[in-house]
Amino acid sequence: MKKTLKVLLISFLAMSLFLVGCNSSKTNENAGGKTDNGTSAGPKKDTLVFARGGDSTSLDPITTTEGETFKVTDNIFENLLSYGPQDTTVQPGLAEKWEVTPDGLTYTFHLRQGVKFHDGTDFNADAVVFNFDRWMNGNADKFPYYTMFGGYKGEPGHVIKEVKALDANTVQFTLTRPQAPFLKNLAMSPFGIASPKAVKDEGDKFREKPVGTGPFKFVEWKQNDRIVLEKNPDYWQKGLPKLNKVIFRVIPENTARLNALANGEVDLMDGLNNSDEDSVKANDKLQVIERPSMNVGYLGFTTNRKPFDNKLVRQALNHAIDKESIIKSFYNGKAEPAKNAMPPSVEGYNDDVKDYEYDLDKAKALLKEAGYEKGFTMDLWAMPVARLYMPEAQKVAEVIQESFSKIGVKANIKSVDWATYLDKAAKGEFDAYMLGWTGDNGDADNFLYTLLDKDSIGANNYSYYKNDQLHDILIKAQTETDQAKRNELYKQAQVIIHDDAPWVPLVHSRPLLAATKDLSGYLPHPTGSEALTNVEFK
Protein backbone atom coordinates (compact mmCIF):
# COMPACT_ATOMS: atom_id res chain seq x y z
CA MET A 1 0.00 0.00 0.00
CA LYS A 2 2.91 2.34 0.85
CA LYS A 3 4.40 1.57 -2.56
CA THR A 4 1.10 2.40 -4.24
CA LEU A 5 0.87 5.69 -2.35
CA LYS A 6 4.44 6.51 -3.32
CA VAL A 7 3.68 5.90 -6.99
CA LEU A 8 0.55 8.02 -6.76
CA LEU A 9 2.51 10.81 -5.05
CA ILE A 10 5.17 10.79 -7.75
CA SER A 11 2.47 10.84 -10.43
CA PHE A 12 0.74 13.76 -8.76
CA LEU A 13 3.98 15.74 -8.53
CA ALA A 14 4.75 15.03 -12.17
CA MET A 15 1.30 16.17 -13.25
CA SER A 16 1.63 19.34 -11.14
CA LEU A 17 4.96 20.18 -12.76
CA PHE A 18 3.39 19.62 -16.17
CA LEU A 19 0.50 21.96 -15.42
CA VAL A 20 2.85 24.62 -14.04
CA GLY A 21 4.90 24.35 -17.20
CA CYS A 22 1.81 24.71 -19.38
CA ASN A 23 0.63 27.70 -17.40
CA SER A 24 4.07 29.31 -17.57
CA SER A 25 4.13 28.76 -21.32
CA LYS A 26 0.72 30.44 -21.76
CA THR A 27 1.73 33.35 -19.56
CA ASN A 28 4.83 33.93 -21.64
CA GLU A 29 2.82 33.73 -24.87
CA ASN A 30 0.43 36.41 -23.70
CA ALA A 31 2.75 38.50 -21.54
CA GLY A 32 1.80 42.12 -21.68
CA GLY A 33 -1.60 41.43 -23.21
CA LYS A 34 -5.05 40.01 -22.83
CA THR A 35 -7.02 37.35 -24.57
CA ASP A 36 -9.75 38.59 -26.91
CA ASN A 37 -12.48 37.96 -24.36
CA GLY A 38 -10.88 40.47 -22.03
CA THR A 39 -9.62 38.13 -19.31
CA SER A 40 -6.22 38.79 -17.80
CA ALA A 41 -3.48 36.69 -19.40
CA GLY A 42 -0.26 38.23 -18.14
CA PRO A 43 1.42 40.66 -15.78
CA LYS A 44 0.43 43.72 -17.79
CA LYS A 45 -2.87 44.59 -19.44
CA ASP A 46 -2.53 46.43 -22.71
CA THR A 47 -5.74 45.45 -24.50
CA LEU A 48 -8.95 47.32 -23.83
CA VAL A 49 -12.28 45.56 -24.39
CA PHE A 50 -15.02 48.17 -24.82
CA ALA A 51 -18.58 46.81 -24.72
CA ARG A 52 -21.35 48.73 -26.46
CA GLY A 53 -24.99 48.17 -27.30
CA GLY A 54 -24.91 48.14 -31.10
CA ASP A 55 -22.56 47.57 -34.00
CA SER A 56 -21.21 50.28 -36.27
CA THR A 57 -23.08 50.75 -39.54
CA SER A 58 -19.91 51.74 -41.40
CA LEU A 59 -16.24 52.43 -40.69
CA ASP A 60 -16.07 55.25 -43.21
CA PRO A 61 -17.27 58.05 -40.92
CA ILE A 62 -18.57 60.35 -43.65
CA THR A 63 -21.13 57.75 -44.78
CA THR A 64 -23.26 57.68 -41.62
CA THR A 65 -24.67 59.81 -38.83
CA GLU A 66 -24.79 57.23 -36.02
CA GLY A 67 -22.58 57.34 -32.97
CA GLU A 68 -21.53 53.69 -32.85
CA THR A 69 -19.47 54.34 -35.97
CA PHE A 70 -17.72 57.35 -34.46
CA LYS A 71 -16.77 55.48 -31.28
CA VAL A 72 -14.52 53.38 -33.50
CA THR A 73 -13.50 55.77 -36.27
CA ASP A 74 -12.32 58.49 -33.87
CA ASN A 75 -9.47 56.08 -33.14
CA ILE A 76 -8.64 55.42 -36.80
CA PHE A 77 -9.05 58.84 -38.40
CA GLU A 78 -8.01 62.36 -37.47
CA ASN A 79 -9.30 65.76 -38.56
CA LEU A 80 -7.70 69.00 -39.58
CA LEU A 81 -8.88 70.34 -36.22
CA SER A 82 -9.84 68.66 -32.96
CA TYR A 83 -11.78 69.47 -29.79
CA GLY A 84 -10.60 69.92 -26.24
CA PRO A 85 -10.38 66.73 -24.12
CA GLN A 86 -13.86 67.25 -22.64
CA ASP A 87 -15.31 70.27 -24.45
CA THR A 88 -15.80 71.58 -27.98
CA THR A 89 -13.18 74.31 -28.02
CA VAL A 90 -11.29 74.16 -31.32
CA GLN A 91 -7.75 72.79 -31.04
CA PRO A 92 -5.00 71.92 -33.55
CA GLY A 93 -5.29 68.51 -35.20
CA LEU A 94 -3.64 67.51 -38.46
CA ALA A 95 -3.40 71.26 -38.98
CA GLU A 96 -0.96 72.88 -36.54
CA LYS A 97 -2.18 76.44 -37.10
CA TRP A 98 -4.46 78.49 -39.34
CA GLU A 99 -5.37 82.00 -40.41
CA VAL A 100 -8.73 83.53 -41.32
CA THR A 101 -9.20 86.65 -43.43
CA PRO A 102 -11.19 89.52 -41.84
CA ASP A 103 -14.16 88.92 -44.16
CA GLY A 104 -14.43 85.32 -42.92
CA LEU A 105 -14.17 83.88 -46.44
CA THR A 106 -10.64 82.46 -46.63
CA TYR A 107 -9.09 79.91 -44.25
CA THR A 108 -5.46 78.85 -44.64
CA PHE A 109 -4.29 75.75 -42.76
CA HIS A 110 -0.66 74.78 -42.11
CA LEU A 111 -0.39 70.99 -41.85
CA ARG A 112 1.74 68.77 -39.65
CA GLN A 113 4.72 67.37 -41.50
CA GLY A 114 5.91 63.78 -41.41
CA VAL A 115 2.44 62.30 -40.76
CA LYS A 116 1.61 59.10 -42.62
CA PHE A 117 -1.55 57.15 -43.24
CA HIS A 118 -1.71 53.57 -41.96
CA ASP A 119 -0.94 52.30 -45.47
CA GLY A 120 2.38 54.19 -45.46
CA THR A 121 1.32 56.97 -47.83
CA ASP A 122 1.91 60.61 -46.93
CA PHE A 123 -0.65 62.90 -45.35
CA ASN A 124 -0.42 66.24 -47.16
CA ALA A 125 -2.46 69.06 -48.67
CA ASP A 126 -3.41 66.96 -51.69
CA ALA A 127 -4.97 64.38 -49.36
CA VAL A 128 -7.11 67.11 -47.77
CA VAL A 129 -8.23 68.35 -51.19
CA PHE A 130 -9.05 64.79 -52.26
CA ASN A 131 -11.26 64.17 -49.24
CA PHE A 132 -13.26 67.38 -49.59
CA ASP A 133 -13.63 66.92 -53.35
CA ARG A 134 -14.97 63.44 -52.68
CA TRP A 135 -17.49 64.64 -50.11
CA MET A 136 -18.73 67.74 -51.90
CA ASN A 137 -19.43 65.76 -55.08
CA GLY A 138 -21.62 63.29 -53.21
CA ASN A 139 -25.21 63.49 -52.01
CA ALA A 140 -27.28 62.97 -48.85
CA ASP A 141 -27.47 59.20 -49.41
CA LYS A 142 -23.70 58.79 -49.68
CA PHE A 143 -22.34 61.48 -47.33
CA PRO A 144 -25.22 62.76 -45.15
CA TYR A 145 -23.11 64.86 -42.78
CA TYR A 146 -21.64 67.00 -45.54
CA THR A 147 -24.78 69.14 -45.23
CA MET A 148 -22.90 70.83 -42.37
CA PHE A 149 -21.34 72.86 -45.19
CA GLY A 150 -24.71 73.89 -46.64
CA GLY A 151 -25.21 71.11 -49.15
CA TYR A 152 -23.25 69.64 -52.03
CA LYS A 153 -21.35 71.10 -54.97
CA GLY A 154 -23.70 72.93 -57.30
CA GLU A 155 -26.40 73.40 -54.67
CA PRO A 156 -27.25 77.03 -53.77
CA GLY A 157 -26.48 76.65 -50.06
CA HIS A 158 -23.02 75.07 -50.43
CA VAL A 159 -20.56 77.33 -48.61
CA ILE A 160 -17.23 75.91 -49.84
CA LYS A 161 -16.29 77.58 -53.11
CA GLU A 162 -12.84 75.97 -53.43
CA VAL A 163 -10.29 73.82 -51.59
CA LYS A 164 -6.76 74.02 -52.99
CA ALA A 165 -3.25 72.96 -52.03
CA LEU A 166 -0.92 75.98 -51.91
CA ASP A 167 2.00 73.61 -51.36
CA ALA A 168 2.50 70.15 -49.84
CA ASN A 169 1.88 71.40 -46.31
CA THR A 170 -0.59 74.26 -46.83
CA VAL A 171 -4.25 74.03 -47.83
CA GLN A 172 -6.67 76.88 -48.39
CA PHE A 173 -10.49 76.97 -48.19
CA THR A 174 -12.45 79.73 -49.89
CA LEU A 175 -16.10 80.15 -48.84
CA THR A 176 -19.02 81.67 -50.72
CA ARG A 177 -20.29 83.29 -47.52
CA PRO A 178 -19.11 83.39 -43.90
CA GLN A 179 -20.08 80.34 -41.87
CA ALA A 180 -19.77 80.96 -38.14
CA PRO A 181 -19.37 77.28 -37.10
CA PHE A 182 -16.96 76.44 -39.96
CA LEU A 183 -13.96 75.61 -37.75
CA LYS A 184 -16.07 73.58 -35.34
CA ASN A 185 -17.57 71.67 -38.26
CA LEU A 186 -14.11 70.69 -39.51
CA ALA A 187 -13.41 69.02 -36.15
CA MET A 188 -16.52 66.82 -36.32
CA SER A 189 -16.03 63.04 -36.39
CA PRO A 190 -17.42 62.53 -39.94
CA PHE A 191 -14.69 64.70 -41.43
CA GLY A 192 -11.76 62.47 -40.52
CA ILE A 193 -9.17 62.52 -43.31
CA ALA A 194 -8.91 59.21 -45.19
CA SER A 195 -6.04 57.83 -47.26
CA PRO A 196 -6.73 58.74 -50.91
CA LYS A 197 -4.94 55.58 -52.07
CA ALA A 198 -7.10 53.34 -49.84
CA VAL A 199 -10.31 55.05 -50.95
CA LYS A 200 -9.37 54.56 -54.61
CA ASP A 201 -8.19 50.98 -54.12
CA GLU A 202 -11.13 49.79 -52.02
CA GLY A 203 -14.01 51.75 -53.53
CA ASP A 204 -17.25 50.86 -51.71
CA LYS A 205 -15.31 48.39 -49.56
CA PHE A 206 -13.52 51.28 -47.87
CA ARG A 207 -16.35 51.41 -45.32
CA GLU A 208 -15.16 47.95 -44.22
CA LYS A 209 -11.40 48.61 -44.53
CA PRO A 210 -10.74 52.09 -43.13
CA VAL A 211 -7.32 53.75 -43.37
CA GLY A 212 -6.53 56.99 -41.54
CA THR A 213 -3.68 58.61 -39.61
CA GLY A 214 -5.01 57.92 -36.10
CA PRO A 215 -3.50 56.20 -33.06
CA PHE A 216 -4.97 52.79 -33.96
CA LYS A 217 -5.09 50.75 -37.15
CA PHE A 218 -8.00 48.64 -38.30
CA VAL A 219 -7.52 44.85 -38.02
CA GLU A 220 -10.86 43.06 -38.24
CA TRP A 221 -14.64 43.48 -38.19
CA LYS A 222 -16.89 40.56 -37.30
CA GLN A 223 -20.28 42.16 -37.74
CA ASN A 224 -22.56 42.28 -34.71
CA ASP A 225 -19.73 40.78 -32.67
CA ARG A 226 -16.49 42.75 -32.54
CA ILE A 227 -14.18 45.26 -34.19
CA VAL A 228 -10.47 44.93 -33.47
CA LEU A 229 -7.94 47.76 -33.70
CA GLU A 230 -4.22 47.64 -32.98
CA LYS A 231 -1.64 50.24 -32.08
CA ASN A 232 -0.28 52.39 -34.91
CA PRO A 233 3.49 51.99 -34.40
CA ASP A 234 4.20 55.01 -36.62
CA TYR A 235 1.80 57.41 -34.92
CA TRP A 236 3.03 61.00 -35.07
CA GLN A 237 2.49 61.59 -31.33
CA LYS A 238 5.50 59.79 -29.90
CA GLY A 239 4.85 57.39 -27.03
CA LEU A 240 1.17 57.09 -27.91
CA PRO A 241 -1.17 55.32 -27.88
CA LYS A 242 -0.57 53.57 -24.58
CA LEU A 243 -2.66 50.50 -25.41
CA ASN A 244 -1.58 47.78 -27.81
CA LYS A 245 -5.06 46.74 -28.89
CA VAL A 246 -8.70 47.85 -28.60
CA ILE A 247 -11.63 45.50 -29.08
CA PHE A 248 -15.14 46.91 -29.46
CA ARG A 249 -17.61 44.19 -28.51
CA VAL A 250 -21.34 44.23 -29.21
CA ILE A 251 -23.50 43.20 -26.25
CA PRO A 252 -27.02 44.53 -26.91
CA GLU A 253 -28.53 44.36 -23.42
CA ASN A 254 -27.34 46.84 -20.80
CA THR A 255 -27.58 44.31 -17.99
CA ALA A 256 -25.68 41.71 -20.00
CA ARG A 257 -22.91 44.26 -20.60
CA LEU A 258 -22.75 44.99 -16.90
CA ASN A 259 -22.52 41.27 -16.11
CA ALA A 260 -19.67 40.93 -18.61
CA LEU A 261 -17.88 43.82 -16.91
CA ALA A 262 -18.38 42.37 -13.43
CA ASN A 263 -17.13 38.98 -14.65
CA GLY A 264 -13.94 40.43 -16.12
CA GLU A 265 -14.89 39.78 -19.75
CA VAL A 266 -14.77 43.49 -20.67
CA ASP A 267 -13.03 46.55 -19.24
CA LEU A 268 -15.35 49.41 -20.19
CA MET A 269 -19.04 49.64 -21.08
CA ASP A 270 -21.40 52.39 -22.13
CA GLY A 271 -25.14 52.49 -21.59
CA LEU A 272 -25.10 51.80 -17.87
CA ASN A 273 -28.68 51.77 -16.64
CA ASN A 274 -29.19 54.57 -14.16
CA SER A 275 -30.84 52.05 -11.86
CA ASP A 276 -27.56 50.07 -11.73
CA GLU A 277 -25.37 53.00 -10.69
CA ASP A 278 -25.47 52.20 -6.97
CA SER A 279 -24.56 48.54 -7.47
CA VAL A 280 -21.52 49.51 -9.55
CA LYS A 281 -20.40 52.02 -6.92
CA ALA A 282 -20.72 49.30 -4.28
CA ASN A 283 -18.32 47.02 -6.21
CA ASP A 284 -14.73 47.86 -5.24
CA LYS A 285 -13.45 46.46 -8.56
CA LEU A 286 -15.55 48.83 -10.68
CA GLN A 287 -16.03 52.55 -11.23
CA VAL A 288 -18.82 54.74 -12.60
CA ILE A 289 -17.92 57.36 -15.24
CA GLU A 290 -20.28 60.19 -16.20
CA ARG A 291 -20.18 61.63 -19.70
CA PRO A 292 -20.63 65.42 -19.95
CA SER A 293 -24.16 66.07 -21.22
CA MET A 294 -24.86 67.58 -24.64
CA ASN A 295 -27.81 65.65 -26.00
CA VAL A 296 -31.53 65.36 -26.55
CA GLY A 297 -33.72 62.27 -26.71
CA TYR A 298 -36.95 62.74 -28.62
CA LEU A 299 -40.03 61.23 -30.22
CA GLY A 300 -40.15 62.40 -33.83
CA PHE A 301 -43.19 62.59 -36.11
CA THR A 302 -42.84 62.13 -39.86
CA THR A 303 -44.66 65.31 -40.81
CA ASN A 304 -45.48 64.38 -44.42
CA ARG A 305 -47.52 61.33 -43.27
CA LYS A 306 -51.12 61.57 -42.07
CA PRO A 307 -52.18 62.43 -39.43
CA PHE A 308 -48.79 63.86 -38.46
CA ASP A 309 -48.99 66.47 -41.21
CA ASN A 310 -51.46 68.23 -38.88
CA LYS A 311 -49.77 70.51 -36.34
CA LEU A 312 -52.67 70.15 -33.90
CA VAL A 313 -52.17 66.38 -33.77
CA ARG A 314 -48.48 66.84 -33.04
CA GLN A 315 -49.26 69.37 -30.31
CA ALA A 316 -51.84 67.00 -28.80
CA LEU A 317 -49.30 64.18 -28.55
CA ASN A 318 -46.85 66.57 -26.90
CA HIS A 319 -49.44 67.17 -24.18
CA ALA A 320 -49.99 63.42 -23.72
CA ILE A 321 -46.51 62.45 -22.48
CA ASP A 322 -45.49 62.66 -18.82
CA LYS A 323 -41.76 63.38 -19.11
CA GLU A 324 -41.21 63.65 -15.36
CA SER A 325 -42.57 60.14 -14.89
CA ILE A 326 -40.26 58.77 -17.59
CA ILE A 327 -37.23 60.42 -15.98
CA LYS A 328 -38.17 59.16 -12.53
CA SER A 329 -38.66 55.59 -13.80
CA PHE A 330 -35.67 55.19 -16.10
CA TYR A 331 -33.04 57.86 -15.43
CA ASN A 332 -32.64 57.82 -11.65
CA GLY A 333 -32.45 61.61 -11.63
CA LYS A 334 -29.65 61.72 -14.25
CA ALA A 335 -31.75 63.67 -16.77
CA GLU A 336 -33.97 66.70 -17.10
CA PRO A 337 -37.15 67.18 -19.15
CA ALA A 338 -36.53 68.60 -22.62
CA LYS A 339 -38.66 71.39 -24.07
CA ASN A 340 -36.40 72.46 -26.94
CA ALA A 341 -34.56 70.59 -29.67
CA MET A 342 -31.21 71.56 -28.16
CA PRO A 343 -29.88 71.21 -24.59
CA PRO A 344 -29.37 74.07 -22.11
CA SER A 345 -25.60 73.55 -22.25
CA VAL A 346 -25.48 74.92 -25.83
CA GLU A 347 -25.20 78.68 -26.29
CA GLY A 348 -28.37 80.27 -27.66
CA TYR A 349 -30.74 78.04 -25.67
CA ASN A 350 -34.16 79.67 -25.15
CA ASP A 351 -35.27 79.08 -21.59
CA ASP A 352 -38.32 81.32 -22.07
CA VAL A 353 -40.03 78.66 -24.18
CA LYS A 354 -42.80 77.07 -22.12
CA ASP A 355 -43.01 73.30 -22.33
CA TYR A 356 -46.19 71.47 -23.31
CA GLU A 357 -47.52 70.50 -19.91
CA TYR A 358 -48.79 66.97 -19.32
CA ASP A 359 -52.52 67.56 -19.81
CA LEU A 360 -54.70 64.78 -21.23
CA ASP A 361 -57.80 66.98 -21.45
CA LYS A 362 -55.94 69.55 -23.52
CA ALA A 363 -54.57 66.73 -25.71
CA LYS A 364 -58.10 65.41 -26.34
CA ALA A 365 -59.37 68.89 -27.15
CA LEU A 366 -56.63 69.41 -29.73
CA LEU A 367 -57.34 66.03 -31.32
CA LYS A 368 -61.02 66.96 -31.57
CA GLU A 369 -60.12 70.29 -33.18
CA ALA A 370 -57.91 68.44 -35.66
CA GLY A 371 -60.77 66.11 -36.61
CA TYR A 372 -59.59 63.06 -34.65
CA GLU A 373 -62.00 63.10 -31.72
CA LYS A 374 -62.07 59.29 -31.69
CA GLY A 375 -58.32 59.03 -31.97
CA PHE A 376 -56.40 56.95 -34.51
CA THR A 377 -53.98 54.04 -34.84
CA MET A 378 -50.27 54.58 -35.44
CA ASP A 379 -46.95 52.75 -35.44
CA LEU A 380 -44.47 53.78 -32.76
CA TRP A 381 -40.94 52.71 -33.66
CA ALA A 382 -38.60 52.12 -30.73
CA MET A 383 -34.82 51.89 -30.97
CA PRO A 384 -33.43 48.35 -30.63
CA VAL A 385 -30.25 49.55 -28.90
CA ALA A 386 -29.38 51.55 -25.81
CA ARG A 387 -28.29 55.09 -26.56
CA LEU A 388 -26.64 57.74 -24.39
CA TYR A 389 -29.82 59.78 -24.32
CA MET A 390 -32.14 56.78 -23.89
CA PRO A 391 -30.69 53.68 -22.22
CA GLU A 392 -34.03 51.82 -22.09
CA ALA A 393 -35.89 52.82 -25.24
CA GLN A 394 -38.28 49.86 -25.37
CA LYS A 395 -39.53 50.53 -21.85
CA VAL A 396 -39.94 54.23 -22.55
CA ALA A 397 -41.95 53.31 -25.65
CA GLU A 398 -44.30 51.25 -23.49
CA VAL A 399 -44.92 54.24 -21.21
CA ILE A 400 -45.64 56.45 -24.24
CA GLN A 401 -47.94 53.77 -25.65
CA GLU A 402 -49.96 53.72 -22.45
CA SER A 403 -50.15 57.52 -22.33
CA PHE A 404 -51.41 57.73 -25.90
CA SER A 405 -54.07 55.12 -25.19
CA LYS A 406 -55.61 57.51 -22.65
CA ILE A 407 -56.47 59.97 -25.44
CA GLY A 408 -57.74 57.32 -27.87
CA VAL A 409 -54.51 56.88 -29.85
CA LYS A 410 -53.50 53.26 -30.30
CA ALA A 411 -49.71 53.03 -30.77
CA ASN A 412 -48.32 49.74 -32.04
CA ILE A 413 -44.71 49.43 -30.88
CA LYS A 414 -42.37 48.16 -33.57
CA SER A 415 -38.63 47.75 -33.91
CA VAL A 416 -35.99 46.32 -36.22
CA ASP A 417 -32.19 45.98 -36.22
CA TRP A 418 -30.28 49.24 -35.73
CA ALA A 419 -28.91 49.71 -39.25
CA THR A 420 -32.32 49.05 -40.81
CA TYR A 421 -33.98 51.30 -38.23
CA LEU A 422 -31.79 54.25 -39.22
CA ASP A 423 -32.24 53.57 -42.92
CA LYS A 424 -36.04 53.45 -42.69
CA ALA A 425 -36.16 56.54 -40.49
CA ALA A 426 -34.01 58.47 -42.97
CA LYS A 427 -36.38 57.46 -45.79
CA GLY A 428 -39.41 58.74 -43.85
CA GLU A 429 -41.01 55.29 -43.54
CA PHE A 430 -42.09 55.61 -39.89
CA ASP A 431 -45.20 57.28 -38.47
CA ALA A 432 -43.34 58.18 -35.31
CA TYR A 433 -39.89 57.14 -34.18
CA MET A 434 -37.73 57.40 -31.08
CA LEU A 435 -34.28 58.82 -31.59
CA GLY A 436 -31.94 61.39 -30.17
CA TRP A 437 -28.89 63.44 -30.87
CA THR A 438 -25.58 63.99 -29.16
CA GLY A 439 -24.07 67.27 -30.30
CA ASP A 440 -21.11 67.07 -32.64
CA ASN A 441 -19.54 70.47 -32.14
CA GLY A 442 -21.26 72.35 -29.31
CA ASP A 443 -22.95 74.84 -31.65
CA ALA A 444 -26.71 75.46 -31.87
CA ASP A 445 -26.44 75.09 -35.65
CA ASN A 446 -25.55 71.43 -35.13
CA PHE A 447 -28.92 70.80 -33.47
CA LEU A 448 -31.41 73.13 -35.15
CA TYR A 449 -30.09 73.31 -38.71
CA THR A 450 -28.74 69.77 -38.80
CA LEU A 451 -31.86 68.10 -37.42
CA LEU A 452 -34.79 70.29 -38.44
CA ASP A 453 -33.92 72.45 -41.44
CA LYS A 454 -35.34 71.66 -44.87
CA ASP A 455 -31.77 71.38 -46.23
CA SER A 456 -31.27 68.36 -43.95
CA ILE A 457 -34.31 66.31 -45.00
CA GLY A 458 -33.22 62.72 -45.60
CA ALA A 459 -29.82 63.41 -44.05
CA ASN A 460 -30.62 64.08 -40.39
CA ASN A 461 -34.08 65.63 -40.60
CA TYR A 462 -35.99 62.36 -40.35
CA SER A 463 -39.25 64.18 -39.60
CA TYR A 464 -39.27 65.67 -43.12
CA TYR A 465 -40.18 68.93 -41.46
CA LYS A 466 -40.10 72.14 -43.54
CA ASN A 467 -40.52 75.74 -42.48
CA ASP A 468 -39.24 78.49 -44.77
CA GLN A 469 -39.22 81.12 -42.03
CA LEU A 470 -37.11 78.82 -39.87
CA HIS A 471 -34.74 78.15 -42.78
CA ASP A 472 -34.15 81.87 -43.35
CA ILE A 473 -33.37 82.39 -39.66
CA LEU A 474 -30.97 79.44 -39.49
CA ILE A 475 -29.05 80.49 -42.60
CA LYS A 476 -28.80 84.04 -41.23
CA ALA A 477 -27.47 82.61 -37.95
CA GLN A 478 -24.83 80.64 -39.84
CA THR A 479 -23.65 83.74 -41.66
CA GLU A 480 -23.69 86.05 -38.64
CA THR A 481 -20.31 86.19 -36.87
CA ASP A 482 -21.49 88.18 -33.81
CA GLN A 483 -22.30 85.45 -31.27
CA ALA A 484 -24.82 87.57 -29.33
CA LYS A 485 -26.80 88.17 -32.52
CA ARG A 486 -26.57 84.50 -33.40
CA ASN A 487 -27.99 83.59 -29.99
CA GLU A 488 -31.04 85.81 -30.55
CA LEU A 489 -31.67 84.19 -33.92
CA TYR A 490 -31.48 80.73 -32.43
CA LYS A 491 -33.92 81.73 -29.71
CA GLN A 492 -36.37 82.81 -32.42
CA ALA A 493 -35.85 79.49 -34.19
CA GLN A 494 -36.70 77.53 -31.04
CA VAL A 495 -40.03 79.38 -30.70
CA ILE A 496 -41.00 78.37 -34.25
CA ILE A 497 -39.98 74.75 -33.73
CA HIS A 498 -41.83 74.55 -30.43
CA ASP A 499 -45.06 75.79 -32.03
CA ASP A 500 -44.79 73.50 -35.07
CA ALA A 501 -44.01 70.53 -32.79
CA PRO A 502 -42.31 68.15 -35.25
CA TRP A 503 -40.99 66.31 -32.18
CA VAL A 504 -41.77 65.62 -28.59
CA PRO A 505 -38.43 66.58 -26.99
CA LEU A 506 -38.20 64.12 -24.10
CA VAL A 507 -34.97 64.33 -22.12
CA HIS A 508 -31.48 65.70 -21.82
CA SER A 509 -29.56 62.91 -20.12
CA ARG A 510 -26.30 62.65 -18.22
CA PRO A 511 -25.04 59.35 -19.67
CA LEU A 512 -23.27 56.82 -17.47
CA LEU A 513 -20.49 54.38 -18.28
CA ALA A 514 -18.84 51.79 -16.08
CA ALA A 515 -15.29 50.45 -16.09
CA THR A 516 -12.88 48.33 -14.14
CA LYS A 517 -11.20 50.18 -11.31
CA ASP A 518 -7.75 49.88 -12.90
CA LEU A 519 -8.75 51.74 -16.08
CA SER A 520 -7.00 55.11 -16.27
CA GLY A 521 -6.83 58.03 -18.70
CA TYR A 522 -10.31 57.63 -20.17
CA LEU A 523 -12.01 61.01 -20.62
CA PRO A 524 -15.52 60.69 -22.07
CA HIS A 525 -16.33 63.49 -24.48
CA PRO A 526 -19.68 65.33 -24.62
CA THR A 527 -19.95 64.47 -28.34
CA GLY A 528 -20.33 60.79 -27.40
CA SER A 529 -17.09 59.51 -28.91
CA GLU A 530 -13.40 59.97 -28.25
CA ALA A 531 -9.99 58.64 -29.21
CA LEU A 532 -8.57 56.21 -26.65
CA THR A 533 -5.04 57.51 -27.14
CA ASN A 534 -4.19 58.07 -23.48
CA VAL A 535 -6.06 55.15 -21.95
CA GLU A 536 -4.06 52.61 -19.96
CA PHE A 537 -4.36 50.24 -17.02
CA LYS A 538 -2.88 51.17 -13.66
Side-chain angles (χ1 to χ4, degrees), residues 169 342 354 502:
N169 304 305
M342 57 186 265
K354 186 179 179 182

Side-chain angles (χ1 to χ4, degrees), residues 102-265:
D103 60 7
L105 295 178
T106 305
Y107 291 75
T108 304
F109 295 91
H110 303 276
L111 309 181
R112 294 187 188 278
Q113 300 183 36
V115 177
K116 290 189 177 293
F117 291 104
H118 300 153
D119 58 9
T121 58
D122 291 332
F123 163 74
N124 52 33
D126 287 338
V128 176
V129 173
F130 172 88
N131 276 268
F132 277 87
D133 280 348
R134 178 192 179 213
W135 302 334
M136 72 174 63
N137 284 287
N139 54 48
D141 289 334
K142 292 174 67 176
F143 309 134
Y145 250 124
Y146 192 75
T147 55
M148 295 305 300
F149 299 108
Y152 303 86
K153 190 172 182 179
E155 294 183 351
H158 187 219
V159 301
I160 299 180
K161 180 179 179 180
E162 183 183 27
V163 185
K164 65 179 179 181
L166 300 184
D167 58 44
N169 304 305
T170 313
V171 65
Q172 188 174 83
F173 289 72
T174 305
L175 307 188
T176 59
R177 59 178 170 85
Q179 188 187 42
F182 181 71
L183 291 176
K184 284 194 169 189
N185 289 349
L186 289 178
M188 286 169 49
S189 297
F191 304 114
I193 304 297
S195 160
K197 180 180 185 300
V199 171
K200 292 173 187 175
D201 289 350
E202 298 297 341
D204 290 341
K205 289 286 185 182
F206 183 76
R207 55 191 296 136
E208 301 170 16
K209 299 178 180 179
V211 179
T213 62
F216 294 95
K217 300 168 63 174
F218 172 75
V219 176
E220 148 183 76
W221 184 6
K222 293 182 179 177
Q223 298 212 356
N224 295 312
D225 179 15
R226 67 185 57 200
I227 294 172
V228 181
L229 310 181
E230 67 180 11
K231 180 176 184 174
N232 174 11
D234 301 314
Y235 189 47
W236 59 269
Q237 292 196 61
K238 301 305 178 187
L240 297 175
K242 296 179 179 179
L243 294 168
N244 187 54
K245 187 184 288 187
V246 177
I247 300 168
F248 292 91
R249 281 188 57 190
V250 177
I251 304 177
E253 293 294 327
N254 292 12
T255 52
R257 276 200 304 288
L258 181 55
N259 288 336
L261 179 68
N263 293 334
E265 298 170 30

